[in-house]
């Protein structure tokens, strides 16, 4: 299947010279997945809501100051490859070209709607993320923003003192109450107002109740609910228990699942692939495969590597955070680390992953040994 009938010519477009304040008002009013930026009529890049949360650029700045490149796709490109492009580019929108001309856009929602009927074959437990960042009800908005930036995520489940799920705060929730005010004057009378905004407890801005889904639910049902309610993700909870968090499943998780292959070599998904410097995809696949081979009974079904760039630099090389996650027939294994440059960050994360895999191997071996002992005792 290609995206010829999935892409759309309907999109929001602004000139690179438009004031950023006007761009923010478009997001607040229309809530698009992204805005296409043109310069003298030619495609220049995109602006996403994620960039607004991560930026302190003033309202009077031009839209071009926040424009970022988004991976270009062709009208006849395969839907699986476009899904990979969106995941690896860390974006929800991609410009669609016909030849050298901008034809339209394709969004993650466009793809998910097109493949919805085929998602019955998957269940939530096959694709969800079990390592979830959560916050307490008294966490302030400033801390929420830091969590969203640090982990490169779009939503945080909110828990009460008993670790029960009470709400959800998303990137969209904080845009209206924070972003515009943070970019206005920060001296004089307004300085105190901005500080008070950042000190607002998340309880006052979160959404409640929270939409949840169980592990055995079909991915089709989960995605249908996301699309119907314009949610980017659902909290995963145990069956008959909608207050304890097992994990989270997002539209990005589903797109990533669409890219899974049945090739002989391990499939590696890379988010923010543009940050790779002295290391390649093949290098990543080879190194992760070597770690996975330390436990032969563990079959890696999919590997996801995510890079995130910090502002700090050392002699021009940015500080990079790397997260590696393996989905295997024995469960999930993960490792994370930081370093200057993608290769150093990856190696630190890989070392942590290796220790976690070996720990998993030890746990599995202990369980097998315990089972053998019990069987022998039963034979006496």
């Amino acid at each position: 299947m290609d995206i010829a009938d999935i892409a759309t010519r309907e999109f929001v477009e602004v000139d690179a010279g438009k004031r950023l304040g006007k761009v923010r008002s478009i997001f607040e009013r229309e809530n698009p997945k992204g805005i296409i930026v043109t310069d003298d009529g030619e495609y220049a890049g995109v602006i996403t809501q994620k960039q607004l949360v991560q930026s302190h650029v003033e309202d009077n700045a031009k839209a071009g100051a926040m424009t970022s490149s988004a991976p270009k796709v062709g009208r006849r490109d395969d839907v699986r490859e476009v899904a990979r492009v969106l995941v690896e580019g860390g974006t929800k929108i991609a410009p669609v070209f016909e030849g050298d001309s901008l034809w339209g856009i394709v969004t993650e929602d466009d793809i998910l709607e097109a493949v919805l009927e085929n998602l019955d074959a998957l269940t939530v437990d096959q694709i969800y993320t079990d390592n979830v960042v959560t916050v307490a009800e008294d966490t302030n908005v400033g801390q929420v923003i830091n969590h969203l930036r640090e982990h490169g995520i779009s939503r945080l489940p909110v828990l009460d003192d008993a670790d029960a799920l009470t709400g959800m705060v998303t990137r969209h929730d904080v845009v209206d109450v924070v972003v515009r005010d943070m970019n206005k004057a920060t001296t004089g009378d307004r300085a105190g107002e901005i500080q008070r905004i950042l000190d607002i407890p998340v309880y006052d801005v979160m959404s409640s109740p929270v939409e949840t889904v169980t592990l055995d639910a079909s991915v089709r049902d989960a995605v249908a609910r996301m699309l119907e309610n314009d949610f980017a993700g659902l909290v995963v909870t145990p069956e008959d228990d909608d207050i304890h968090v097992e994990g989270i499943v997002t539209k990005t998780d589903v797109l990533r699942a669409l890219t899974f292959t049945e090739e002989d070599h391990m499939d590696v998904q890379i988010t923010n692939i543009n940050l790779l410097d002295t290391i390649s995809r093949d290098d990543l696949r080879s190194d992760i495969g070597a770690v996975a081979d330390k436990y032969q009974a563990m079959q890696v079904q999919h590997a996801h590597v995510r890079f995130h760039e910090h502002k700090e630099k050392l002699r021009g090389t940015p500080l990079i955070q790397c997260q590696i996650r393996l989905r295997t027939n024995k469960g999930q294994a993960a490792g994370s680390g930081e370093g200057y440059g993608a290769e150093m960050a990856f190696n630190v994360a890989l070392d942590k992953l290796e220790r976690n895999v070996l720990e998993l191997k030890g746990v599995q071996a202990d369980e097998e040994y315990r089972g053998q002992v019990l069987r022998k005792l039963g034979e006496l």
Side-chain angles (χ1 to χ4, degrees):
M1 178 191 300
D2 60 34
I3 63 165
D5 297 322
I6 300 176
T8 176
R9 305 201 74 163
E10 298 179 5
F11 57 90
V12 180
E13 177 184 335
V14 300
D15 185 79
K18 184 176 284 290
R19 288 179 58 251
L20 204 52
K22 296 290 186 181
V23 176
R24 288 196 171 99
S25 67
I26 293 175
F27 276 104
E28 294 160 7
R29 183 175 65 252
E30 303 181 33
N31 191 28
K33 299 298 180 184
I35 295 176
I36 295 291
V37 181
T38 56
D39 192 355
D40 290 333
E42 296 294 323
Y43 169 75
V46 302
I47 295 177
T48 66
Q49 191 181 77
K50 178 179 180 180
Q51 291 169 270
L52 291 180
V53 173
Q54 294 181 337
S55 172
H56 289 177
V57 181
E58 297 181 357
D59 279 351
N60 287 329
K62 304 301 183 183
M66 195 178 287
T67 301
S68 65
S69 60
K72 300 178 182 180
V73 300
R75 279 196 69 200
R76 298 289 176 180
D77 284 357
D78 180 73
V79 68
R80 287 179 178 269
E81 183 57 30
V82 175
R84 179 185 291 277
V85 162
L86 291 177
V87 172
E88 295 193 338
T91 182
K92 300 179 182 298
I93 177 177
V96 178
F97 278 73
E98 193 162 51
D100 295 327
S101 301
L102 177 65
W103 183 89
I105 64 167
V106 64
T107 69
E108 63 177 7
D109 282 5
D110 295 331
I111 293 176
L112 293 176
E113 288 174 358
V115 302
L116 184 62
E117 297 306 319
N118 300 318
L119 298 178
D120 264 336
L122 291 171
T123 54
V124 169
D125 71 297
Q126 293 175 289
I127 68 168
Y128 85 112
T129 298
D130 61 355
N131 185 18
V132 184
V133 180
T134 62
V135 293
E137 292 179 331
D138 59 356
T139 303
N140 64 45
V141 169
Q143 292 171 313
V144 167
I145 293 175
N146 287 335
H147 281 307
L148 295 175
R149 288 174 177 165
E150 179 183 354
H151 298 283
I153 53 181
S154 62
R155 60 202 52 253
L156 294 165
V158 182
L159 310 182
D160 63 15
D161 292 338
D163 288 335
L165 179 67
T166 59
M168 175 76 81
V169 61
T170 69
R171 185 187 300 134
H172 181 68
D173 293 328
V174 302
V175 168
D176 288 343
V177 296
V178 176
V179 175
R180 284 179 302 168
D181 296 281
M182 285 180 65
N183 289 279
K184 293 182 179 178
T186 56
T187 60
D189 294 338
R190 290 204 54 80
E193 289 183 38
I194 295 172
Q195 190 60 47
R196 284 194 294 272
I197 290 171
L198 293 177
D199 286 339
I200 294 174
V202 69
Y203 183 85
D204 292 344
V205 300
M206 71 182 190
S207 299
S208 184
V210 183
E211 285 287 329
T212 63
V213 66
T214 57
L215 289 169
D216 60 351
S218 74
V219 172
R220 181 194 181 285
D221 290 343
V223 171
R225 288 167 60 189
M226 292 185 210
L227 294 174
E228 181 180 355
N229 297 284
D230 196 24
F231 295 146
L234 301 173
V235 174
V236 180
T237 59
E239 190 174 358
D240 300 324
D241 177 3
D242 59 359
I243 62 172
H244 290 100
V245 178
E246 286 278 349
I248 195 164
V249 60
T250 68
K251 290 176 179 176
T252 300
D253 291 325
V254 182
L255 288 182
R256 187 176 297 118
L258 292 178
T259 70
F260 289 3
T261 68
E262 296 181 356
E263 300 175 9
D264 291 337
H265 63 259
M266 176 177 56
D267 182 42
V268 176
Q269 191 83 57
I270 305 171
T271 297
N272 295 326
I273 194 172
N274 59 298
L275 295 179
L276 292 185
D277 41 26
T278 58
I279 193 168
S280 68
R281 183 198 294 274
D282 287 340
D283 293 331
L284 301 185
R285 179 185 295 120
S286 175
D287 290 346
I288 293 173
V291 169
D293 288 344
K294 289 183 179 293
Y295 186 28
Q296 294 294 334
M298 185 178 74
Q299 300 168 3
V300 178
Q301 299 160 343
H302 184 70
H304 177 219
V305 181
R306 177 184 175 275
F307 293 101
H308 173 68
E309 182 178 1
H310 294 294
K311 292 183 178 180
E312 181 182 341
K313 292 186 178 181
L314 177 65
R315 293 191 290 275
T317 302
L319 179 64
I320 302 290
Q321 179 191 54
C322 177
Q323 299 172 326
I324 309 173
R325 182 175 302 280
L326 304 184
R327 191 177 302 279
T328 80
N329 63 331
K330 299 293 184 180
Q332 295 192 28
S336 63
E338 292 185 345
Y340 291 98
E343 184 171 6
M344 180 182 291
F346 172 75
N347 287 333
V348 174
L350 188 70
D351 181 64
K352 182 64 176 293
L353 174 70
E354 181 170 357
R355 282 179 286 171
N356 290 340
V357 168
L358 291 175
E359 181 179 342
L360 175 63
K361 175 181 177 181
V363 171
Q364 295 282 348
D366 288 345
E367 291 178 349
E368 291 173 4
Y369 176 73
R370 188 179 301 113
Q372 291 171 1
V373 171
L374 290 175
R375 283 194 296 274
K376 288 184 181 297
L377 288 174
E379 294 170 359
L380 295 178

